[in-house]
Amino acid sequence: MAWSLVAAWAAWAVIRLFGLEYGFPLEAMMAFTPLVAATAIIPIAAALLAGSRAGAALATVVLVVFAVLVVPREFGGPTDAAGGNGPVLRVLAANMKLGKADPDALLGLVRELHVDVLSIEEQTPKLAGGLARAGIADLLPYAASYTDRGSSGSGLYSRLPLLPGSNQPLPGGSPLIVRGLGVPGAAQVTIFSVHTHSPTNPSWRDDLRALPAAAEQPQILLGDFNATLDQAEFRDLLDRGYDDAAETLGDGLTPTWPANRRFPPLVTIDHVLADRRIGIREYSVEDLPGSDHRAVYAALALPLAGTLASPPATAGEP
């Protein structure tokens, strides 16, 4: 029994360390790696009680591996924009649970956090109407919105004018709303409102792979990625030129889903990803009444206008 426990935790550590998960259920299971890491003392105790020094030694190595993989997310600090910090852009992403979350509470967060750009996932026609009645146009008058009676609706709302863009669908069918944003004194940025399928669906992998690599113009991806830092597909996305705001500031273990249950949230699947040339100054996770997600907020320091020469290096590049 002791060796069975040691083997189970060791197998999980190996799969996570080398990104060996593929398909359901392994891809979904990897999202819970921090919880497995927190219980990695169990096989050590079982081996010691069974009098197996070899088992305890192996289980200790496994515990160290989990610590190396998970603990660094609790440490971090603000970063600066390439070429010097320019204007700060405040962004918020909120999954509204099939439009059932409270629109007034959401706009309360917009006011409290002085949000410049809001990304909404699972926006229904009813929710869009509720947001209009609550006064979203007074706070964020520029919008690129797509509503759906199911989970495929999305919206991008801004205090600043949005430049022409697209509502291109991801492979799984959800819209990827893409808009340019000009902030006075800063390099122009492109904002992506993201909502991928969950890893229970084969389209999840294709959705993440369809998200763009960093480009000449800085990009910000925010929304519900249905993915965590413990899934290889999501780490591959980061390797294409992005920093995760939560991980950068030491909040990478603050969970965002499932919220408003009798038990606390378990995993971190909502994210703000910023081009590595963008500075990450603030991050927080905010409660959202009526939703099964918590909202994620970040304050990002944009590069000064005229200071960028090339996109950031991605994995495999110098």
Side-chain angles (χ1 to χ4, degrees):
M1 179 63 72
W3 273 105
S4 296
L5 292 173
V6 172
W9 265 260
W12 193 299
V14 169
I15 293 170
R16 165 58 183 88
L17 181 62
F18 295 104
L20 301 179
E21 75 274 13
Y22 190 83
F24 183 79
L26 280 179
E27 286 174 330
M29 290 168 61
M30 285 300 108
F32 297 92
T33 294
L35 300 178
V36 176
T39 59
I41 191 70
I42 293 175
I44 297 176
L48 290 174
L49 288 172
S52 173
R53 293 184 179 180
L58 177 57
T60 301
V61 171
V62 170
L63 176 62
V64 171
V65 170
F66 276 126
V68 170
L69 292 173
V70 173
V71 172
R73 295 175 216 172
E74 285 290 284
F75 301 92
T79 59
D80 295 320
N85 293 327
V88 171
L89 184 71
R90 294 174 171 83
V91 301
L92 181 72
N95 183 308
M96 301 295 281
K97 192 186 178 183
L98 300 175
K100 297 177 181 178
D102 186 346
D104 291 295
L106 177 62
L107 293 191
L109 287 176
V110 170
R111 295 186 183 92
E112 177 185 347
L113 299 171
H114 306 289
V115 169
D116 300 304
V117 176
L118 169 66
S119 172
I120 293 178
E121 295 76 56
E122 301 195 11
Q123 179 175 240
T124 61
K126 181 178 179 180
L127 174 63
L131 289 169
R133 290 188 293 273
I136 193 170
D138 297 329
L139 299 171
L140 305 170
Y142 303 97
S145 179
Y146 174 85
T147 61
D148 181 83
R149 296 188 183 278
S151 63
S152 295
S154 294
L156 195 61
Y157 298 85
S158 174
R159 182 179 60 82
L160 299 165
L162 295 171
L163 303 176
S166 65
N167 293 4
Q168 52 191 323
L170 290 170
S174 294
L176 179 66
I177 299 179
V178 184
R179 292 294 185 274
L181 185 70
V183 180
Q188 184 176 310
V189 296
T190 304
I191 310 291
F192 293 76
S193 176
V194 177
H195 188 198
T196 71
H197 269 290
S198 78
T200 60
N201 189 308
S203 295
W204 172 80
R205 192 181 311 110
D206 295 330
D207 284 354
L208 288 172
R209 291 178 181 178
L211 296 175
E216 181 176 351
Q217 183 171 296
Q219 300 179 153
I220 300 168
L221 282 61
L222 67 160
D224 174 10
F225 291 76
N226 272 304
T228 79
L229 292 163
D230 291 298
Q231 292 163 310
E233 287 292 346
F234 187 72
R235 297 196 300 276
D236 288 345
L237 172 60
L238 294 179
D239 287 342
R240 299 202 286 272
Y242 301 99
D243 287 328
D244 180 83
E247 181 185 29
T248 298
L249 292 181
D251 290 308
L253 293 178
T254 304
T256 65
W257 180 89
N260 296 312
R261 305 285 178 89
R262 293 182 179 180
F263 52 89
L266 300 175
V267 292
T268 307
I269 61 175
D270 302 88
H271 302 272
V272 176
L273 306 187
D275 181 297
R276 289 175 185 158
R277 296 166 295 176
I278 294 174
I280 299 174
R281 311 304 294 174
E282 299 174 12
Y283 175 83
S284 64
V285 174
E286 306 291 338
D287 292 330
L288 188 57
S291 177
D292 56 347
H293 289 249
R294 301 169 79 192
V296 291
Y297 160 83
L300 308 173
L302 302 180
L304 292 165
T307 60
L308 297 184
S310 60
T314 57
E317 296 180 355

